[in-house]
Amino acid sequence: MIVMKFGGTSVEDGKAIERVAEIVGSRGDEKPVVVVSALARVTDSLVTISQLAASGALAEALRLYRQVRQRHFAVLSSLVNGRGETEVRSRLQALFDSLEEVLRGVAALGELSPRTSDNVLSFGELLSSQIVTTAFRARGIDAVLVDSRQLMVTDASYTRAVPQREETNRRLRQSLKPLLTSGRVPVMGGFIAATAEGIPTTLGRGGSDFSAALIGAGLGARKIEIWTDVEGMMTTDPRLCPDARRIDVIGFDEASELAHFGAKVLHPATLFPAVEKNIPVYILNSRNPESKGTCIRARARPSKTILRSIAAKRGVKVVNVRLPRIVAPRPRIVDPQGFLHALFEAFDRHACAADLVSTSDVSVSVAVEASRDLAELVQDLKRLGNVEVEDNKAILCLVGEKLRGRIGVAARVFGVLAGAGINVHMISQGASEINISFVIEERDIPEAVKQLHADFFAERAGDPQRVAKRTTRGGAVPRQSNGSLANATRAGL
Ligand code: ASP
Ligand code: MG
């Protein structure tokens, strides 16, 4: 069997759901379990609606609620036009009635507990799975709606509940195996679950990938497909570099490093249950089902190129903290060890996550998201030393399994950047040794990405001549000591 998960954009309207039906319809012999997200943006709307209700703005909350309701009914009508519509309409209506009741309760109490929030958010996937099942059946797919709240068992940590794997697996096998054996197609809402007592929970925002991985792992799927609206992972952001290519296969560790800084295709951590069981996970594009997408595996064969991908994260600030050289009057913390400890404690206190850190005994640079208001943190840090915040920075993150233990890559990277006149502010090589990250000026990102991509991805391993010939038209180019073809070309060789 396989798991096919369709994200919000893949089920955003009638047309999108029709494409999904076509994709699933052609795969019946692979015994798919289908997992769906809420219609695009619905979970966000439910968050807003419940917060409005809690803050006393019930009328506004209900106005938005009606829009959401209208959208779902419109999508349903576009898919079934008449056939068996009344029955499904009344099922949707029942869901909307209970949602309205919960919202009125929230407004009456003037409070939104995490437990109630999960209850409200669960409606997104309850509705979408109902609609998708109906659309499948109207197109001849023998689909069965399966209530995820009855199979996916979690603890009671609402908004980010932790799955109870054994009990979940037992229920998954018990309920889904017979359906699959008889050739039926189970459809489940992702993201939602329930406690053993049956109280609805969610697995955290974006959690339907996690659902897919849990279901795939629990049933021993041959593969898991995550259908979205992009071609998969790329060698870099195609908006920055038109030469960016789709990555065929990537290792789980590499994908995890990239996800931190790169485009948010998906969060690989949520795929862990699958990867742990060695089940390959494919990222595919529901708008272009022919494309092969990207396969994430526990162990991917090494890339031909030294790097697997280059990710850029803009909107970064760097906080520099320096221990004062002459300590008078003596600050509370002076020893380097205590300094680091106090420093990270301050970041922790202000819930400010560090993206990149580089340290010496007496100074520390921490790159953080620029959207954060740092005023209070800075005030706090001033107890430790001199603080300076630099704006308009960006992080470049180079990832590749082949970086491990490889000599000379850093020299090559910084050679390329030096050649382009790009200044590097901070450098860090992750403990995993499969990533090199550094901070540069935000405005240098396009040039840096272009140059590095040209240098590292033009070359196929074992065949440097091919690139040389293609790029220079005039025969092979002698490689420079830093190995940078980009530099060689720029130098007019
Ligand atoms: N609908 C949920 C969310 O938007 C879960 C998901 O889409 O994965 O967070
Ligand atoms: Mg999503």
Side-chain angles (χ1 to χ4, degrees):
M1 55 86 51
I2 61 172
V3 176
M4 303 175 85
K5 178 256 166 177
F6 294 88
T9 50
S10 298
V11 293
E12 65 186 350
D13 55 23
K15 277 213 180 68
I17 295 175
E18 258 170 53
R19 278 195 296 267
V20 169
E22 222 162 274
I23 294 168
V24 173
S26 67
R27 307 283 296 279
D29 47 344
E30 294 178 64
K31 298 196 182 306
V33 171
V34 173
V35 178
V36 292
S37 290
L39 273 52
R41 299 176 306 280
V42 164
T43 311
D44 288 339
S45 302
L46 292 172
V47 170
T48 311
I49 291 168
S50 51
Q51 285 168 352
L52 282 168
S55 69
L58 180 63
E60 177 62 5
L62 289 179
R63 195 181 64 77
L64 293 178
Y65 154 87
R66 280 185 217 104
Q67 281 177 6
V68 172
R69 187 176 61 187
Q70 198 274 334
R71 175 172 168 210
H72 281 83
F73 279 113
V75 170
L76 176 72
S77 299
S78 75
L79 285 163
V80 292
N81 47 51
R83 286 168 288 166
E85 201 176 333
T86 31
E87 197 197 318
V88 190
R89 281 188 82 87
S90 60
R91 262 188 250 142
L92 284 196
Q93 189 55 51
L95 285 172
F96 277 109
D97 288 344
S98 5
L99 173 57
E100 186 176 337
E101 205 176 310
V102 179
L103 292 173
R104 288 186 186 279
V106 169
L109 285 173
E111 182 193 293
L112 182 67
S113 67
R115 172 172 161 170
T116 307
S117 171
D118 270 1
N119 188 357
V120 172
L121 297 199
S122 70
F123 282 91
E125 273 72 9
L126 293 177
L127 291 160
S128 65
S129 54
Q130 177 70 251
I131 293 177
V132 168
T133 308
T134 309
F136 281 7
R137 297 193 64 79
R139 280 157 190 76
I141 301 171
D142 192 2
V144 197
L145 179 61
V146 176
D147 188 341
S148 300
R149 295 169 304 179
Q150 284 171 14
L151 304 194
M152 312 301 287
V153 187
T154 67
D155 68 4
S157 27
Y158 298 104
T159 75
R160 250 200 130 71
V162 179
Q164 291 175 351
R165 301 278 297 273
E166 262 176 47
E167 178 58 14
T168 301
N169 290 348
R170 199 185 58 75
R171 295 191 190 187
L172 283 168
R173 281 194 285 265
Q174 195 180 31
S175 307
L176 299 184
K177 284 257 154 103
L179 293 174
L180 292 170
T181 310
S182 60
R184 309 193 74 187
V185 177
V187 177
M188 299 172 67
F191 174 59
I192 55 177
T195 64
E197 294 74 40
I199 301 162
T201 55
T202 68
L203 301 175
R205 291 303 308 272
S208 45
D209 294 335
F210 193 25
S211 304
L214 290 166
I215 295 165
L219 295 175
R222 195 165 55 71
K223 63 172 168 176
I224 295 172
E225 298 180 350
I226 305 283
W227 289 84
T228 166
D229 59 351
V230 295
E231 294 291 297
M233 295 192 157
M234 308 285 287
T235 53
T236 195
D237 183 344
R239 288 165 304 184
L240 290 172
C241 178
D243 292 338
R245 300 196 290 266
R246 181 176 52 79
I247 299 171
D248 272 329
V249 191
I250 187 167
F252 177 69
D253 291 341
E254 293 170 317
S256 305
E257 299 272 0
L258 277 177
H260 191 63
F261 296 120
K264 293 260 178 296
V265 176
L266 84 177
H267 210 293
T270 62
L271 304 181
F272 191 70
V275 173
E276 182 188 45
K277 290 242 151 76
N278 225 346
I279 302 171
V281 180
Y282 290 81
I283 304 170
L284 297 158
N285 184 355
S286 64
R287 289 168 202 281
N288 182 15
E290 302 305 317
S291 171
K292 281 172 53 207
T294 296
C295 175
I296 303 176
R297 316 189 71 113
R299 292 247 160 283
R301 62 170 187 270
S303 47
K304 294 202 181 92
T305 48
I306 294 173
L307 297 182
R308 187 78 80 177
S309 183
I310 301 175
K313 177 172 179 169
R314 297 171 196 244
V316 170
K317 278 183 198 168
V318 175
V319 182
N320 298 308
V321 186
R322 250 174 227 101
L323 261 185
R325 220 172 261 258
I326 301 160
V327 192
R330 206 177 154 83
R332 273 200 315 126
I333 297 143
V334 284
D335 65 298
Q337 230 179 322
F339 171 58
L340 282 184
H341 180 78
L343 182 117
F344 287 114
E345 222 173 37
F347 274 84
D348 197 39
R349 210 165 26 247
H350 295 277
C352 186
D355 272 340
L356 210 68
V357 181
S358 65
T359 69
S360 76
D361 267 8
V362 292
S363 82
V364 178
S365 298
V366 183
V368 299
E369 267 175 30
S371 56
R372 293 203 54 103
D373 178 5
L374 298 178
E376 282 178 23
L377 170 69
V378 167
Q379 232 18 64
D380 221 359
L381 290 172
K382 279 190 176 152
R383 293 185 302 120
L384 304 177
N386 305 324
V387 184
E388 182 193 57
V389 178
E390 296 175 276
D391 265 328
N392 304 321
K393 300 286 180 282
I395 296 175
L396 261 190
C397 170
L398 314 183
V399 174
E401 192 59 51
K402 273 196 176 170
L403 284 175
R404 216 188 283 276
R406 183 116 178 180
I407 293 167
V409 183
R412 180 169 162 189
V413 170
F414 297 117
V416 172
L417 294 175
I422 292 171
N423 186 25
V424 177
H425 295 278
M426 259 173 87
I427 303 170
S428 138
Q429 175 158 29
S432 64
E433 277 195 54
I434 64 169
N435 111 41
I436 303 175
S437 301
F438 44 91
V439 172
I440 60 178
E441 292 296 322
E442 194 162 33
R443 62 165 186 274
D444 287 336
I445 281 285
E447 190 60 20
V449 167
K450 228 173 286 155
Q451 297 286 349
L452 287 168
H453 195 275
D455 196 86
F456 280 90
F457 287 92
E459 177 190 327
R460 303 278 178 174
D463 188 15
Q465 297 301 318
R466 210 174 84 190
V467 177
K469 283 198 193 105
R470 197 169 20 137
T471 338
T472 60
R473 273 179 249 132
V477 170
R479 296 190 72 76
Q480 302 237 305
S481 57
N482 68 0
S484 163
L485 185 66
N487 280 345
T489 315
R490 227 187 347 274
L493 285 167

